[in-house]
Amino acid sequence: MTVSWNGHTEGDDYLDSQLHAINKRLVEMFMADVDNPVQVARFFDLIETQAESERERARQETHFRDIVGTDGGTAKLVSGDTEPLPVIRARRAIHLPGSGGIIAIALGMVVLLVAFLVVSRLQASPGSEAKLTLAGGLEKPDLKISIMTTTDLSPFWFAVKKGYFRDAGFTFDPQKDVAIAKSGPESVDKLAAKQVDIAYSSYPAFFIAKSNGKDVKLVADASSAGPNSCMVVAGLSSKVRTIKDIAHARVAVTARNTISDLMVMSTLKTNGIDYSTIQWVQTPFPTMAPMLASGDIDAAFLTEPFLTQAQMQVGAVPVFDAATGPTANLPTAGFGADADFVRNYPRTLAAFQKVMERATIEAKADRSKVEELLHEFAGIDSTTAKLATLLTFQSSLEATRIQRVADLMTEFGVLGARMDVSQMIAKSPDSR
């Protein structure tokens, strides 16, 4: 948002500097959506403080200055490079003592216009969250996103179904612009190849990409491992029945150096079992249940909905919970983007984060909504949806939490040196 005055005489450096300062604060406060009364109140407080300062300066001056000339002035609000908002024009020249007077009038008109827009938006959307977009809209509304078919994507699909992305200005088509990846590394590979703008993955894939020179940023959290949400299970004919039997076994994971094998290795180490003897079999989640039934693998690391499906379809037997001890409540997955996206599209980033935060809060509050989404978007039958032990939904990135994953990777030699996760977290303009 920009405030400008046309018609002031040359040499009005003070006026220019004050307008520049006002513009800077307006940009800071309105680059992202004004979506709560506290921000609006802070804005009005800023306007009033600035106006009072200028009134005081006006009282101290002893001569008149011709600010706008004889043909009047124009106060104009412009939203970025897009079409200007309504223009407020003075009917005739106004001569006031000092630049403070004219600044005060300008600020007053800004207050009135912003108040009108806020009230109009609130009246237009009764009962909904206040939302005011004055910064020119999203720079990139037509996102391309890579995800997987895991239950922790429920908040994403919830936001799609409820129209939260659309309401925020996004125009991407969930049917055409959302790609389904078989594993986290595959999803991050799509991001690295510029095939997508935002990718969902387990955290290790992002950290490995970073260690390989890719400038990856974390833009939103997705989930953490709650009790019994990440299990190692065995087939009915398998020799594996307890955690002590797992040594030398063939254990399926989606890919090496992912959250899957890290959680398994950590749990085995905690229980004094030599994880180096494991024969890892890399295969997508959907193929693990048939492989357990056929005896091609002895055990598999599964999360929902595949965990419940394997138990129902092939009688998979739980062996141990991989989310205990050092891995209890371990952050499991999130969303990432490359640094260019974060740098070039700050409003798009902020909008994506806000949508995911809102959807996550609502999904956590009502499991029945999640069950409907699993059936509608992930093709999961209603019985499985009801029985599934869900991962814990998350949205806000906390460096200290996610650092646990990177440190675990360093412990097991996946990363050669400790990685500072805080440097990878992309903050929206609101939090800078």
Side-chain angles (χ1 to χ4, degrees):
M1 182 191 295
T2 305
V3 179
S4 62
W5 279 81
N6 299 328
H8 63 271
T9 59
E10 292 182 4
D12 287 333
D13 294 336
Y14 178 75
L15 175 59
D16 288 338
S17 67
Q18 292 304 303
L19 287 173
H20 177 74
I22 295 167
N23 287 336
K24 182 177 179 182
R25 284 296 291 134
L26 289 172
V27 168
E28 290 175 353
M29 299 189 72
F30 281 98
M31 277 297 286
D33 294 339
V34 176
D35 56 8
N36 66 68
V38 175
Q39 284 181 288
V40 176
R42 286 176 57 202
F43 171 70
F44 288 153
D45 288 343
L46 168 71
I47 294 296
E48 179 58 33
T49 300
Q50 184 68 42
E52 180 57 38
S53 174
E54 298 309 324
R55 292 190 198 101
E56 178 61 26
R57 178 179 173 84
R59 286 194 289 268
Q60 294 175 359
E61 292 183 355
T62 58
H63 62 278
F64 291 84
R65 298 182 63 210
D66 188 352
I67 300 299
V68 296
T70 57
D71 59 348
T74 301
K76 183 167 58 177
L77 292 176
V78 181
S79 180
D81 294 325
T82 61
E83 215 165 302
L85 293 171
V87 173
I88 303 174
R89 297 182 180 275
R91 288 182 176 271
R92 56 184 167 181
I94 303 175
H95 298 272
L96 294 172
S99 59
I102 198 67
I103 290 285
I105 287 181
L107 294 170
M109 288 190 288
V110 171
V111 170
L112 289 174
L113 182 55
V114 172
F116 170 78
L117 291 170
V118 171
V119 172
S120 297
R121 179 61 63 90
L122 288 172
Q123 290 176 338
S125 305
S128 66
E129 183 182 78
K131 199 173 186 69
L132 180 62
T133 303
L134 297 176
L138 306 183
E139 309 95 339
K140 196 177 193 320
D142 53 339
L143 289 181
K144 293 190 181 301
I145 305 172
S146 175
I147 62 172
M148 295 171 62
T149 55
T150 49
T151 58
D152 53 348
L153 267 300
S154 296
F156 173 81
W157 291 119
F158 184 81
V160 169
K161 182 175 182 178
K162 299 291 285 187
Y164 295 162
F165 283 113
R166 183 188 62 244
D167 293 346
F170 289 101
T171 60
F172 67 87
D173 183 344
Q175 300 301 318
K176 294 187 292 187
D177 299 324
V178 177
I180 305 298
K182 296 178 181 178
S183 67
E186 180 181 314
S187 186
V188 175
D189 284 346
K190 292 179 184 293
L191 180 66
K194 306 289 186 181
Q195 296 175 8
V196 297
D197 303 301
I198 293 176
Y200 161 92
S201 172
S202 64
Y203 282 113
F206 291 124
F207 299 147
I208 290 173
K210 179 69 172 179
S211 69
N212 289 333
K214 304 295 184 183
D215 200 357
V216 178
K217 297 292 185 182
L218 304 177
V219 300
D221 200 358
S223 59
S224 58
N228 300 316
S229 64
C230 298
M231 299 285 294
V232 170
V233 299
L236 289 175
S237 61
S238 173
K239 63 178 183 180
V240 176
R241 283 294 176 265
T242 71
I243 194 170
K244 300 295 183 181
D245 302 325
I246 206 78
H248 303 285
R250 296 165 299 169
V251 180
V253 292
T254 53
R256 290 302 314 276
N257 301 327
T258 64
I259 205 72
S260 304
D261 62 336
L262 279 172
M263 293 183 73
V264 174
M265 290 189 293
S266 178
T267 307
L268 294 180
K269 181 180 178 180
T270 300
N271 285 270
I273 297 169
D274 185 2
Y275 56 84
S276 68
T277 66
I278 297 294
Q279 301 176 55
W280 302 103
V281 179
Q282 301 180 69
T283 186
F285 280 131
T287 67
M288 292 183 188
M291 292 179 73
L292 285 170
S294 65
D296 291 332
I297 54 176
D298 301 308
F301 172 93
L302 287 170
T303 187
E304 298 291 4
F306 309 101
L307 174 57
T308 297
Q309 288 174 341
Q311 291 174 303
M312 293 176 61
Q313 295 170 6
V314 302
V317 180
V319 179
F320 64 87
D321 184 356
T324 58
T327 55
N329 300 311
L330 185 74
T332 49
F335 294 88
D338 66 32
D340 286 341
F341 178 91
V342 172
R343 181 167 48 251
N344 295 334
Y345 309 123
R347 296 194 297 276
T348 304
L349 169 63
F352 180 84
Q353 291 173 325
K354 286 182 179 180
V355 167
M356 289 305 302
E357 181 177 10
R358 178 182 180 185
T360 299
I361 291 172
E362 294 185 25
K364 289 172 72 172
D366 188 346
R367 179 181 169 116
S368 64
K369 293 180 180 178
V370 175
E371 293 171 5
E372 294 173 4
L373 293 165
L374 293 176
H375 179 67
E376 181 176 353
F377 292 102
I380 300 170
D381 65 272
S382 57
T383 301
T384 300
K386 291 181 182 298
L387 295 175
T389 302
L390 302 178
L391 292 163
T392 304
F393 300 147
Q394 307 284 353
S395 61
S396 300
L397 292 165
E398 298 176 11
T400 52
R401 288 181 59 253
I402 301 169
Q403 185 67 49
R404 294 175 59 198
V405 181
D407 290 346
L408 200 63
M409 295 173 71
T410 304
E411 177 184 348
F412 288 97
V414 181
L415 295 177
R418 187 178 189 273
M419 181 175 290
D420 185 358
V421 170
S422 66
Q423 299 303 309
M424 290 181 64
I425 294 179
K427 293 181 171 58
S428 71
D430 288 345
S431 57
R432 288 175 183 168

